[in-house]
Amino acid sequence: MMQIKENAKQYDAVIVGSGAGGGMSAKVLADAGLKVAVMEAGPFFDPKDPETMTQLKWPWESPRRGRSTPSRHFGDFDMAYGGWSLEGEPYTQKGDSDFMWFRSRMLGGRTNHWGRISLRFGPIDFKHRSHDGLGDDWPIGYEDVKPYYDKLDKLIGVFGSNEGLYNDPDGFFLPPPKPRLHELYYIKGARKLGIPVIPSRLSILTKRINKERGVCFYCNQCSRSCNAYADFSSGSCLIFPAQNSGQVDLYNNAMVRKVVMKDDGKAKGVSYINKEDGKEYVIEGKVVVLAASACSSARILLNSKAPGHSNGIGNSSGVVGKYLHDSTGSSRAGFIPALMDRKVYNEDGVGGMHVYSPWWGDNKKLDFGRGYHIEVWGGMGMPGYGFGMNMDGFNKMMGFPQGGYGDKLREDVKRYYGAVIGFGGRGECIAREDNYCELDPDVVDEFGIPVLRFNYSFSDHERLQAKHMQQTFEELIDAMGGKVLGDTPTKEQNYGLNKGGEIIHEVGTTRMGNDPKKSVCNKYQQLHDVKNVFITDAGPFVSQADTNCTWTIMALAWRASEYIVDQLNKQNL
Amino acid sequence: MDRRDTLKTLLITGVAGGAVASTVLSSCKTDEPMIAIPESKLTIGRTPSERERDQALLDNDFLTAEELTVVATLCDIILPATSSAGSATEADVHNFIDFIIQDIPNLQTPVRGGIAWINNEASTRFNSSFVDATEEQKMEIIDDIAYPDKAAPEMSSGVSFFNRMRDLTMTGYYTTRMGLDDLGYVGNRANIWDGVPEDVLKKHNMSYDPEWLAKCVDQEKREDLASWDEEGNLLS
């Protein structure tokens, strides 16, 4: 860890956060010759460091066999240091709100474990109000972002296929892997119902794109972050290459508290708490780029109270924290008798689905506003904690003898291995002003920084969409000759709708717009109020599409970063 | 004598005569421990605080030696050795159970209480502890609690306990090398996925749609640097 003095050197840009948005900003700004500081609240992490690696480890190497822990919510092998709760860093709720906020404290942030589902937003997604009267249009359109998506596809690598779908646009794809057996069953079942299925689009290298990164070797463990750098993680694919320019200083374990202002109404830099000595430091930059995640960046703005900015900087509109929304989610699993007693072979494949269904419905004919896509899982994966439990659930369904001991159990486990398929619907929640995060006036974290308080609820658009997901999943399982597992979630259970934040696609807290009274930043993600502060995480999103947000975070971060370089060159900042 | 040494002794005196432990014994040479007791297994990447927490749990024993012997006995009733696969205790499943009930504290009372239940049952029926009961006596109790849909209502506590032990033993076993080999799992290694094997496709009456297949990766060219034309068509 580098020692930072109070009067640190002056940077061209100070970037807060090292995930998808921060990594992309660091890469673009450093490549343009700017001197960049990257502030990360967690430790350094390199996927190929044997000290921290979990990829290719065996279940027994975890004493709990991969079960989740308070420090790894997705299980002992998952590469996210954190989860929906962090020790010493609480958040609170208003009323009966129950928003779940996932944070990963490490270099690369949540990109080290994410699903790599890399979908573009389509033309309709940027102008949805014009199509259905709900939410708001973005101040930019698909044509503004397309060049950056194109560059992104080539720089980072994403497999998929050009299908000519209007709102799920084509790109520059690496070739997708062949479907697995359960995915062939899915394709067959979905086609019976008229639901489209296409190769999935994941940022995993099925083919070489440069000398620095390896090619996928099909271990199915992208959630553990790839030591060959064959999946997209921000550290291995953006931060490390950016560091090669010699232009980037990385500050780990640096918890940013606020943006520090100068008398001229511009930002001077940021102040942060060095977790190693507990002291606060100021780091200065000509430009501050917040990419700490939608909610963290909103929190930093709200905590940056300064003369003339009594509600936090960038917040003369009062919009900071508002319009928070996460993807909708609802899931279901089914048991496919035709997949019993399988021949066992290696079908690990890539770390995720090989096929998926983009939204196919026409919302004008439905009782909810926006669509969802279907993610598919199944197959003969590596056993972990929970494997082999409750074989009687299947025995009951099949009318086979229950319970017992000895050889029968060995037969049961082999009979049902790979016979379950699961679906996750991931859809669009309509952005609303009254879904927000704000500072809790009474609660601080262990660093003394006021924490966020959430206020989040659903409308019937989301609930009825989840109902549609469940109906569709049941029809799909039926069309595959399978049996649905569990009971149909009821209206009282919101039709199985995940809590806000559970899908970990939170966006919208610092929305972009042309009107400074109704938005936090402009279409280049520059604060209306403070022109040398930019936001390159998902905060500036006006709306979440029925896809996932990461590819758009990066395309927009690239676009905003090019604008920063341009404006610095013109001495406008 | 620490708990693990006690366990060895107890297993020899308490279980060794029974059929369930015969494989354990016959597979072991006299100068080796009856049951493999591994050193710390923290070979996965851990943060410093995770390492500390896990090591503390691993160093601590929750179950007494007597309780662990009951668990080990049940483990090997649930998964005895076969001609091709070792037993649950050979896969060290009993020690996994001792760990996992520390990791999931709400399992502690059900497991400890279940052990007491089965000892009470043996005591009532045979004036013996469960472990000291004869093989036939043990299996008489087990057969009363191993079949959830057939068990007598008054056996429900024992059924719940045995269900739990079955689940923990199964998951503990099938997450070991021995379990993966028994299952036939051959993944978790570098390989090149090139589709479902032909014989499997045939058996399932499936085939790859030629139009779909044409989009998929040609694994012969995986190392060729990707390039595209302006329309996004892959050239390499």
Side-chain angles (χ1 to χ4, degrees), chain A residues 157-168:
Chain A
V158 49
F159 72 72
S161 56
N162 287 332
E163 302 286 337
L165 301 170
Y166 179 68
N167 207 41
D168 294 284

Side-chain angles (χ1 to χ4, degrees), chain B residues 144-160:
Chain B
D144 282 348
I145 61 177
Y147 301 95
D149 52 338
K150 293 178 188 147
E154 62 271 23
M155 287 289 109
S156 62
S157 303
V159 171
S160 296

